[in-house]
Amino acid sequence: MPIFGELFLSELLKKPILDLKGDNLGTLRDIIIVKGEPLPVVKSLIVSRKKKKFLVPWETMSIFNKRVM
């Protein structure tokens, strides 16, 4: 039985990342995770757009789930 709110990176890779207005920022390429206590913490998303990669700080994310990213 899946845990409530459970997300797998493999399900999210290559999905669009949208800003608050709904505009496409790019495609999710990876997630940066750092050591935290008691669990690791998501630091940033690596997003690609037009063959360029940039970081989106996790703090700027307002919704992150399977339906809306």
Side-chain angles (χ1 to χ4, degrees), residues 30-33 41-46 55-59:
D30 212 343
I31 297 176
I32 297 174
I33 298 175
V41 177
V42 176
K43 188 71 173 171
S44 301
L45 304 179
I46 299 175
L55 296 179
V56 176
W58 182 252
E59 300 82 32

Side-chain angles (χ1 to χ4, degrees), residues 14-51:
K14 300 183 182 177
K15 300 289 185 195
I17 301 297
L18 309 176
D19 66 11
L20 292 174
K21 297 177 191 172
D23 296 331
N24 189 343
L25 294 176
T27 304
L28 181 65
R29 291 297 173 199
D30 212 343
I31 297 176
I32 297 174
I33 298 175
V34 296
K35 185 177 178 179
E37 286 297 326
L39 300 170
V41 177
V42 176
K43 188 71 173 171
S44 301
L45 304 179
I46 299 175
V47 177
S48 67
R49 184 173 185 177
K50 297 181 181 179
K51 298 185 180 184

